[in-house]
Amino acid sequence: MAVRRRHRLGPGGGRALLGALLLCVWWRAAAERVRYAIAEELGRGSLVGPLARDLGLSADELPARKLRIVAGDDEKQYFTLEENNRNLRVKDRIDRESICGVVSPCVLSLEAVVENPFDIFHVSVTIQDINDNAPQFDEELVTIEMIESTPPGTRFPLGSARDPDIGANSLQNYELTPNPLFSLLVRESPDGTKHAELVLEKVVDREKQGNHHLVLTAVDGGDPVRSGTSQIKINVMDANDNPPVFTKEIYTVRLMENLPEGSLAFQVKATDNDEGTNAEITYSFSDTAKSIRQLFSLDPRTGDVKVTGPLDYEERKYYEVSVEGKDGGGLTAHAKVHIDIIDVNDHAPTISLLPILNPIPEDSVPSTVVAVINVRDRDSGENGEVNCKMDGNLPFRLETSSENTYKLIIASALDRENVSAYNITITATDRGKPALSSRTELVLEVSDVNDNAPVFEEAAYSAYVWENNAAGALVLRVQARDADAGANGRVSYWLAGGSAGAAGAAPPVSVEARSGALYAQRSLDYEQCREFAVEVRAQDGGAPARSSTATVRVFVLDRNDNAPRVLWPPAAPAAAGEAPAAAAAFEVVPRSAEAGYLVAKVVAVDADAGRNAWLSYELVQASEPALFRVGLHSGEVRTARAVSERDAAKQRLVAVVKDHGQPALSATATLHVVLAESLQEALPELSERAAGAEAAAAAELQFYLVLALALLSALLVLSVALAVLARLRRAGPPAVLRCLGAQRFSVAGAAFPADFCEGTLPYSYNLCVAAPARAVPEAAWPPPPPVPVLSAEELLGADSCDKPSPNSSVIVGEPLADPDAPKGRAGSARQRSVLQCREEAAGAAVDREEREEARSAAAPPAADTLDRSFPVRFGGGRTARLPAVRSRATTRRKDRRQKPGELSRGLS
């Protein structure tokens, strides 16, 4: 178990108390050193000591104090703290011999750092030796050659075993196998090293035994005891009575650590009084470790020792070498060489950085510790004394904390928006000659504090959106920027209010929180809401959050999405069991009406605005196309020429009302006109029309039955029809199908004056419009007469028979001209149309004169019983509902030019 050592106060009187007070003061001044002692080779995770408790830190304050241990960058970290930072434990294998060698005691130093407040504690861990190494000899076989004349008492060095352990675990003794001729002598050098020597006890006789074998055993004092052995071989030779003698028994040498390889370190010298080969001395290393032999080389003839490897004072300061001199007769002599290494300033200081605050909050107060700097120099003396400084004019300063330890402290206020990071250069210089220095850079980032609110690019935004937009369509994208960073600069958006509807109603737009994009929640309608405003709030992610708002005004642009609605003539609903046309309104026009007579006025409105609400009127279908015309902007239906007796009594007009949107929308209005001089003349026409409507309904039913049978029959011949169509496809469509592609209406738009005012009623009318009646299906009306293919300009431009449209070539009762025909044929057709129109006008005038004369002579007959009523509209805007008769009734007109108003007063 680890042994913990600390300075403790013992019990006693006033002297002990005084000593305790002085010790506390010294404790703080010396930065509080804690000492532990552990055995080497402890397993990983073994307990070294309760560091937190020994530093006086409770378990509650450990998280805030942030206890940690630091060591130099070039030193191996052998210790670590538990996850709860309470106990110091072994992190890696600790081998005392590899760390300290023969140095005793073996101490590992580290610093413990705490914060809030900041403090540094020095921790020393003494590594205690265990008997984990057995003694070992450099040579497993030692050969000794001795002359037979060697006198008893002669000593022969056997070398020494090496045990890396220290103290009682190191080498303690040598043992030799028993032999009557030899004995063992153990000598101890001044440095404590034990050497074994073989002592000759009796004279050897080479003739009796020329070789002797002994075993030398080295034993340490550990528990259990460890040992090592070496074989000794003794060869007996003939006599050589003078051994070599060295000039010195011990040589002392001092070498600079920067001595280059190949330099002469020292020289040993020995002499021999013999002559010849017995006086020739050979030098060699004996009892010298292999690591030393790699650093030095010995010339066997001259005794010169040269440096062959790098010398480093920081690794080893002292070497001991044994040199053997042997003459030609085999006699040897030994000398010791003590080599001291002198330190040279060859190591630059090393700098270790321990950031405490990185990044640094920009609102940190001055004097806050942001980093701990540890400076070390492996040299000794003045070469190892280091000064540390910081380069540049920065808002930081260095303060000395303890020996070779500095604190980096904030000197003035920080602002991340101005400087977001500091590159601090720290220089450490020793006091050697020449001085060496090292530099390191520390990058300290300044963390953001939420001190800036988001700022919109614009204080107010405007967006324009077409109505009938798709739900989810992008309306506008707003953007706000925040000078802060990270979450403090991450802006999110939401709606903060506005005039976008009633309270509690869902806003018409939504904003995406991340991008600031506004999307339409639903389709917008210009007729309901033309503009609205919302407030968008931008808020950062800081704590507390900061925000700002911007106003977004959204303007809805009108589209032509409403077709014109016809107010007059109204669409008559179809009653149950009654023909649809029975309740329809009719306009009565006297046959004496001249050109320009006001028949009726088509009144329509459009819910759109602007050009989308500008209305124009065109007459697209009429029983007599040349008889009526409609005002382009007023909607007034007037006679284009004088009514003649040859004109049909019943006229059906279809007018289209178009707006000026893109694309244009339209609605149709159907107007029924009865040409009659009096009401009595109009009633039979109305009665026949009602009866014809009932017959048309029966005929329509019969038509659908026949159509169903025709469709069933068409299925039988479908395969034949497909084959025929396939052949006809190459030859082109037949002439009879070409008419199917003709347009019924002109695609050319009507022309309007540039200053046409906005609105749907260009004239002022006093109308009383009731709720719209149920629309009458188009199928209920009797089939209209064939409509000629005319453009809008031709229909609107045909004001009278005298001024036919240059593009019109329609003649009633005749088939339409082929549009593909040559222009000469079309010109002759127009001329015939004009002549026929003039003849009809002249004939109508003659017929009116004859009818007037006949009516004056005839008496008016009595009318039959009425059984049905019809609504009748007269020229000038008057409307009445009159009964219908079973037989035709005629009346005599008193005045040929009687006004419609007088006729209506007479009926009432």
Side-chain angles (χ1 to χ4, degrees), residues 256-597:
M256 303 292 290
E257 66 172 330
N258 61 349
L259 193 65
E261 297 182 9
S263 301
L264 178 62
F266 58 92
Q267 183 185 36
V268 294
K269 188 69 175 177
T271 60
D272 195 324
N273 293 329
D274 295 325
E275 293 180 355
T277 59
N278 291 331
E280 294 178 358
I281 301 174
T282 303
Y283 301 94
S284 63
F285 286 124
S286 66
D287 194 17
T288 303
K290 292 182 179 180
S291 60
I292 299 177
R293 295 184 182 186
Q294 294 175 355
L295 299 177
F296 301 98
S297 64
L298 175 60
D299 191 326
R301 294 299 177 185
T302 62
D304 293 338
V305 178
K306 295 183 179 180
V307 177
T308 58
L311 303 179
D312 193 348
Y313 173 85
E314 287 71 32
E315 291 185 1
R316 193 165 181 176
K317 306 175 184 179
Y318 171 79
Y319 296 93
E320 182 178 321
V321 179
S322 296
V323 180
E324 179 185 76
K326 181 185 293 187
D327 60 16
L331 296 181
T332 61
H334 297 81
K336 293 285 186 181
V337 181
H338 295 173
I339 304 173
D340 294 325
I341 306 299
I342 301 174
D343 183 41
V344 176
N345 190 23
D346 58 346
H347 291 88
T350 59
I351 304 174
S352 301
L353 299 176
L354 175 63
I356 303 299
L357 284 178
N358 194 10
I360 309 170
E362 63 177 325
D363 59 349
S364 298
V365 297
S367 74
T368 301
V369 179
V370 297
V372 175
I373 302 168
N374 187 273
V375 182
R376 296 190 180 185
D377 196 321
R378 298 181 62 188
D379 296 322
S380 61
E382 290 187 353
N383 296 331
E385 297 178 3
V386 182
N387 292 325
C388 191
K389 66 177 182 179
M390 181 181 64
D391 300 343
N393 185 16
L394 300 175
F396 301 94
R397 70 174 185 271
L398 285 175
E399 287 188 1
T400 303
S401 175
S402 61
E403 182 182 1
N404 297 331
T405 303
Y406 297 85
K407 294 185 295 186
L408 184 63
I409 299 176
I410 298 176
S412 59
L414 307 176
D415 187 0
R416 190 204 66 84
E417 284 71 34
N418 292 331
V419 181
S420 60
Y422 293 92
N423 193 352
I424 302 174
T425 302
I426 298 173
T427 304
T429 307
D430 60 23
R431 298 181 61 184
K433 294 181 181 180
L436 299 178
S437 63
S438 60
R439 300 162 64 90
T440 186
E441 292 185 355
L442 174 62
V443 178
L444 294 177
E445 297 181 355
V446 182
S447 62
D448 185 56
V449 175
N450 192 23
D451 54 352
N452 293 279
V455 178
F456 281 94
E457 293 181 347
E458 300 179 18
Y461 293 84
S462 298
Y464 299 87
V465 182
W466 290 99
E467 67 171 332
N468 301 328
N469 59 290
L474 178 64
V475 176
L476 180 68
R477 192 182 301 273
V478 299
Q479 187 173 9
R481 302 184 182 275
D482 196 316
D484 295 323
N488 298 328
R490 189 179 302 114
V491 181
S492 58
Y493 306 87
W494 65 79
L495 297 180
S499 60
V509 295
S510 63
V511 61
E512 187 176 0
R514 291 301 179 191
S515 65
L518 274 72
Y519 297 97
Q521 290 285 84
R522 57 181 181 270
S523 179
L524 303 178
D525 191 352
Y526 174 84
E527 288 72 33
Q528 296 182 1
C529 177
R530 299 192 176 188
E531 68 175 273
F532 60 88
V534 294
E535 286 189 359
V536 179
R537 180 181 300 276
Q539 179 172 311
D540 57 27
R546 294 177 178 268
S547 62
S548 60
T549 59
T551 302
V552 178
R553 299 190 64 85
V554 180
F555 298 90
V556 183
L557 303 179
D558 183 47
R559 286 186 183 274
N560 190 26
D561 57 343
N562 292 280
R565 185 165 63 91
V566 178
L567 302 180
W568 184 266
E578 185 181 12
F586 289 86
E587 298 289 347
V588 178
V589 176
R591 288 188 176 273
S592 60
E594 299 293 337
Y597 179 84

Side-chain angles (χ1 to χ4, degrees), residues 731-755:
V736 71
L737 296 179
R738 295 177 184 174
C739 63
L740 297 179
Q743 298 181 353
R744 297 183 60 188
F745 305 102
S746 172
V747 296
F752 288 88
D755 56 349

Side-chain angles (χ1 to χ4, degrees), residues 845-906:
V846 175
D847 291 341
R848 283 197 299 271
E849 292 292 337
E850 293 177 355
R851 284 199 304 271
E852 281 296 324
E853 294 177 358
R855 287 178 184 141
S856 300
D864 295 339
T865 306
L866 300 175
D867 61 352
R868 184 172 299 181
S869 60
F870 297 90
V872 180
R873 180 176 176 85
F874 297 92
R878 294 179 175 271
T879 305
R881 191 171 187 89
L882 300 178
V885 295
R886 295 180 181 271
S887 60
R888 179 182 300 271
T890 59
T891 57
R892 179 169 174 261
R893 181 172 179 174
K894 296 181 179 180
D895 188 1
R896 184 175 182 179
R897 298 295 183 182
Q898 187 178 3
K899 297 181 179 180
E902 296 176 356
L903 178 61
S904 61
R905 286 195 301 269

Side-chain angles (χ1 to χ4, degrees), residues 83-333:
E83 294 181 357
N84 54 12
N85 293 343
R86 292 186 179 182
N87 298 324
L88 185 65
R89 294 187 179 273
V90 176
K91 179 181 179 182
D92 202 355
R93 176 178 177 265
I94 301 176
D95 186 6
R96 190 204 64 79
E97 288 75 22
S98 63
I99 296 174
C100 299
V102 297
V103 178
S104 180
C106 181
V107 180
L108 296 179
S109 299
L110 58 138
E111 283 80 30
V113 180
V114 295
E115 301 178 18
N116 302 320
F118 179 84
D119 204 351
I120 298 177
F121 301 88
H122 296 278
V123 181
S124 299
V125 181
T126 302
I127 308 302
Q128 297 176 345
D129 182 61
I130 63 174
N131 191 21
D132 58 341
N133 294 281
Q136 290 183 349
F137 289 90
D138 295 334
E139 297 178 358
E140 296 181 358
L141 177 63
V142 177
T143 301
I144 300 176
E145 295 179 357
M146 66 175 59
I147 194 168
E148 60 182 354
S149 61
T150 302
T154 304
R155 301 174 183 179
F156 299 92
L158 300 178
S160 60
R162 302 186 181 278
D163 193 335
D165 297 328
I166 61 174
N169 297 323
S170 64
L171 178 65
Q172 297 296 324
N173 198 9
Y174 293 94
E175 297 176 358
L176 185 66
T177 54
N179 191 292
L181 299 177
F182 303 97
S183 65
L184 182 65
L185 177 63
V186 178
R187 296 178 57 188
E188 185 173 356
S189 62
D191 60 354
T193 305
K194 293 179 173 62
H195 302 277
E197 294 181 353
L198 184 66
V199 180
L200 180 63
E201 295 291 338
K202 296 179 180 180
V203 177
V204 294
D205 188 359
R206 190 187 63 83
E207 286 71 20
K208 290 183 179 181
Q209 186 177 354
N211 296 305
H212 299 273
H213 294 277
L214 302 175
V215 176
L216 180 64
T217 303
V219 181
D220 63 15
D223 184 17
V225 177
R226 294 178 180 268
S227 63
T229 61
S230 176
Q231 301 291 327
I232 300 175
K233 181 180 179 181
I234 302 172
N235 298 323
V236 180
M237 301 175 61
D238 287 338
N240 179 19
D241 54 353
N242 289 298
V245 178
F246 280 95
T247 57
K248 292 181 181 180
E249 186 178 353
I250 298 176
Y251 293 85
T252 301
V253 180
R254 294 171 61 87
L255 300 177
M256 303 292 290
E257 66 172 330
N258 61 349
L259 193 65
E261 297 182 9
S263 301
L264 178 62
F266 58 92
Q267 183 185 36
V268 294
K269 188 69 175 177
T271 60
D272 195 324
N273 293 329
D274 295 325
E275 293 180 355
T277 59
N278 291 331
E280 294 178 358
I281 301 174
T282 303
Y283 301 94
S284 63
F285 286 124
S286 66
D287 194 17
T288 303
K290 292 182 179 180
S291 60
I292 299 177
R293 295 184 182 186
Q294 294 175 355
L295 299 177
F296 301 98
S297 64
L298 175 60
D299 191 326
R301 294 299 177 185
T302 62
D304 293 338
V305 178
K306 295 183 179 180
V307 177
T308 58
L311 303 179
D312 193 348
Y313 173 85
E314 287 71 32
E315 291 185 1
R316 193 165 181 176
K317 306 175 184 179
Y318 171 79
Y319 296 93
E320 182 178 321
V321 179
S322 296
V323 180
E324 179 185 76
K326 181 185 293 187
D327 60 16
L331 296 181
T332 61

